[in-house]
């Protein structure tokens, strides 16, 4: 079996490569983007030993046609991933995520042996604000508006002004992304759906919730909050929680994610499915910081700033039944256990300077995308 992994040197990619059976032939294409790969823009020796590694942007993949020829499965992970950054570096997100996928499909069209399956790492960002209920009716809100947010109205309300309760995100929901990033992930899904149907290629779209775990780049200020919050807690700095700190996310451990990808790769029947990959548990950001503090034996220093990021959603949690229905069961790692493994790894890494993160916040503020109600 020959597998092409785009973005294979990234956080999730490294775990996927580790989880693939030893007799699979692997080709990786990864640009080793300096924003993500802070410390080294070379492939790690263990990746070089395991796979044929191409250092280039996926948009240039046609150059490597001969190396890619014979691929049976494509695992498409290459993407720009920062929700906040996508709101001002718009063309970068469109170029990389949409055009990158388009170039990959153009290359596939030229191959003598077409892959039988493509797996896409999509995102829960395509659901936008998701689904809410007042106990009777289900609503799919468009997103929160600036006027409400500036008045500390963080939750999602009905048109009658009642606070609504969030429902788990289901794959059948109508996509309604609230960020440019989310839009570009939706375009990737649609490009692949259209293409794979016409070419008779089996497609599995995996919509990841907030993935965390060892090997997640620490120096990248646009990466997920677990790294940012851990840096602050371990160094005794104050964590800034936006809004009122009570927004929720579904944190899913990277090993579970990699195992899900590999299960999809080797599933022996056509999948033709869109599948949520999350823990199925909603955790408030405040609870997350408290858990990190408890596990590290540090004090949880928190400022609930009331600032907010344009394009952010309020709550997210996955309905994970589709995965269980296909594969029999889904037993995600509990957050405390995953965080403990993450911290074991984190403490072996060099301390991270918080300047890059502070600069990224200043940049967002200057662009009007990180707002305080007094601004
Ligand atoms: C994340 C990923 C995205 C992925 C999605 C779903 C990143 C940058 N984004 O988006 O690629 O597709 O999950 O899997 O990894 N916040 C604070 N204080 C801070 C920074 C952030 O309170 O200093 C808040 C934000 O306002 C937001 C929450 O933390 O409410 C999560 O932010 P973030 O980690 O950037 O991720 P998502 O937007 O959820």
């Amino acid at each position: 079996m020959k597998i092409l992994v785009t973005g294979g040197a990234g956080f999730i990619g490294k775990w996927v490569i580790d989880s693939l059976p030893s007799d699979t032939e692997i080709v990786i294409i990864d640009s080793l983007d300096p924003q993500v790969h802070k410390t080294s823009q070379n492939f790690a020796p263990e990746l070089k030993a395991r796979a044929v590694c191409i250092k280039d942007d996926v948009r240039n993949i046609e150059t490597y046609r001969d190396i890619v020829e014979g691929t049976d499965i494509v695992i498409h992970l290459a993407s720009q991933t920062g929700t906040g950054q996508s709101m001002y570096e718009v063309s970068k997100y469109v170029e990389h995520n949409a055009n990158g996928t388009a170039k990959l499909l153009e290359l596939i069209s030229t191959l003598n042996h077409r892959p039988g399956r493509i797996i896409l790492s999509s995102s829960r960002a395509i659901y936008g604000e998701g689904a809410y209920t007042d106990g009777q009716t289900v609503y799919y809100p468009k997103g929160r508006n600036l006027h409400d947010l500036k008045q500390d109205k963080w939750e999602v309300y009905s048109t009658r002004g009642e606070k609504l309760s969030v429902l788990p995100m289901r794959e059948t929901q109508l996509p309604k992304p609230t960020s440019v990033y989310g839009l570009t992930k939706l375009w990737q899904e649609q490009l692949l759906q259209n293409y794979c149907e016409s070419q008779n290629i089996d497609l599995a779209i995996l919509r990841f919730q907030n993935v965390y775990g060892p090997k997640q780049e620490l120096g990248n200020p646009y990466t997920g909050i677990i790294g940012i919050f851990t840096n602050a807690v371990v160094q005794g700095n104050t964590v800034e929680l936006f809004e009122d700190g009570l927004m929720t996310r579904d944190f899913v451990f990277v090993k579970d994610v990699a195992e899900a990808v590999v299960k999809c790769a080797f599933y022996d029947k056509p999948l033709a499915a869109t599948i949520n990959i999350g823990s199925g548990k909603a955790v408030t950001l405040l609870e997350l910081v408290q858990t990190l503090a408890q596990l590290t034996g540090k004090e949880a220093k928190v400022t609930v700033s009331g600032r907010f990021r344009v394009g952010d959603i309020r709550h997210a949690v996955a309905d994970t039944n589709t995965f269980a229905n296909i594969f029999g069961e889904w037993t995600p790692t509990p957050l405390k256990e995953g965080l403990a493994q993450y911290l074991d790894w984190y403490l072996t890494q060099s301390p991270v300077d918080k300047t890059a993160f502070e600069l990224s916040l200043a940049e967002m503020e200057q662009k009007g995308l990180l707002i305080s109600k007094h601004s």
Side-chain angles (χ1 to χ4, degrees):
M1 191 71 87
K2 180 170 175 176
I3 302 190
L4 168 68
V5 187
T6 73
F11 165 48
I12 298 172
K14 282 186 263 196
W15 281 87
V16 168
I17 308 284
D18 264 0
S19 311
L20 286 169
S22 55
D23 58 353
T24 42
E25 192 185 336
I26 306 172
V27 176
I28 293 173
I29 178 161
D30 196 305
S31 64
L32 297 165
D33 182 348
Q35 176 173 301
V36 181
H37 299 264
K38 284 278 169 201
T39 39
S40 163
Q41 280 96 57
N42 292 314
F43 285 104
E46 58 273 20
L47 278 185
K48 282 205 278 201
R50 178 67 185 90
V52 174
C53 296
I54 305 167
K55 183 177 169 177
D56 207 341
D57 194 304
V58 71
R59 287 171 297 168
N60 298 327
I61 197 159
E62 66 191 75
T63 321
Y64 308 97
R65 190 186 167 281
D66 290 350
I67 304 177
V68 174
E69 182 60 79
T71 295
D72 300 297
I73 297 170
V74 177
I75 300 176
H76 183 32
L77 306 175
S79 259
Q80 295 290 334
T81 60
T83 315
Q85 192 185 39
S86 76
M87 302 303 286
Y88 55 96
E89 297 211 14
V90 180
S91 60
K92 171 168 149 179
Y93 279 75
V94 173
E95 278 291 325
H96 283 259
N97 296 355
N99 280 359
T101 303
K103 288 287 183 187
L104 173 67
L105 299 183
E106 280 179 8
L107 169 85
I108 291 173
S109 294
T110 70
L111 298 175
N112 296 324
H113 170 87
R114 304 265 168 96
R117 175 171 290 153
I118 301 180
I119 297 166
L120 170 70
S121 62
S122 185
S123 166
R124 69 105 232 278
I126 69 112
Y127 294 117
E129 224 35 277
Y132 281 75
T133 185
D134 55 9
Q136 274 155 2
T137 312
V138 177
Y139 300 93
Y140 300 95
K142 188 162 79 51
R144 299 174 295 165
N145 66 54
L146 284 184
H147 181 262
D148 284 352
L149 293 169
K150 282 190 174 175
Q151 297 186 30
D152 296 351
K153 281 181 85 178
W154 309 120
E155 295 292 342
V156 174
Y157 298 90
S158 72
T159 44
R160 291 190 304 278
E162 303 154 303
K163 186 180 153 197
L164 300 173
S165 314
V166 69
L167 293 168
M169 292 163 161
R170 301 175 90 160
E171 294 88 344
T172 45
Q173 259 168 248
L174 200 65
K176 279 192 174 181
T178 58
S179 63
V180 171
Y181 166 71
L183 255 182
T184 63
K185 294 307 286 184
L186 181 59
W187 293 338
Q188 288 186 330
E189 288 194 3
Q190 293 173 334
L191 279 170
L192 279 162
Q193 257 155 355
N194 189 292
Y195 181 86
C196 288
E197 225 168 271
S198 72
Q199 299 295 313
N200 203 19
I201 295 174
D202 189 41
L203 173 65
I205 293 171
L206 304 185
R207 291 183 179 157
F208 299 156
Q209 296 279 332
N210 290 51
V211 186
Y212 74 97
K215 302 187 199 174
Q216 191 162 25
E217 180 64 45
L218 293 170
N220 177 5
Y222 306 99
T223 207
I225 43 172
I226 292 205
I228 294 164
F229 291 180
T230 305
N231 289 337
V233 170
V234 170
Q235 294 175 17
N237 298 325
T238 302
V239 173
E240 178 185 353
L241 294 180
F242 299 148
E243 306 183 19
D244 58 357
L246 298 179
M247 40 298 211
T248 53
R249 290 292 184 273
D250 175 329
F251 297 101
V252 60
F253 194 54
V254 65
K255 189 166 186 285
D256 301 340
V257 171
E259 281 171 9
V261 171
V262 173
K263 275 196 172 154
C264 286
F266 289 94
Y267 192 64
D268 59 2
K269 291 188 277 286
L271 276 164
T274 300
I275 309 171
N276 283 335
I277 305 292
S279 70
K281 302 252 177 329
V283 174
T284 69
L285 300 197
L286 189 60
E287 281 172 296
L288 172 67
V289 181
Q290 286 163 344
T291 310
L292 283 169
Q294 193 193 12
L295 288 168
T296 50
K298 304 266 182 181
E299 191 194 338
K301 292 192 210 160
V302 169
T303 303
V304 177
S305 69
R307 297 207 285 176
F308 61 91
R309 236 170 40 178
V310 177
D312 266 347
I313 57 148
R314 178 69 180 170
H315 297 296
V317 64
D319 177 323
T320 58
N321 284 319
T322 304
F323 187 94
N325 289 342
I326 299 173
F327 295 100
E329 62 170 350
W330 172 242
T331 44
T333 306
L335 181 64
K336 247 188 168 168
E337 206 175 305
L339 284 180
Q341 287 187 45
Y342 174 71
L343 288 166
D344 282 347
W345 168 82
Y346 177 92
L347 295 170
T348 65
Q349 303 298 300
S350 314
V352 178
D353 177 23
K354 61 181 179 152
T355 319
F357 176 60
E358 284 170 351
L359 285 174
S360 74
L361 294 185
E363 196 180 7
M364 287 198 69
E365 198 168 17
Q366 194 247 328
K367 309 237 185 251
L369 295 165
L370 176 60
I371 297 181
S372 56
K373 63 179 166 182
H374 307 295
S375 61

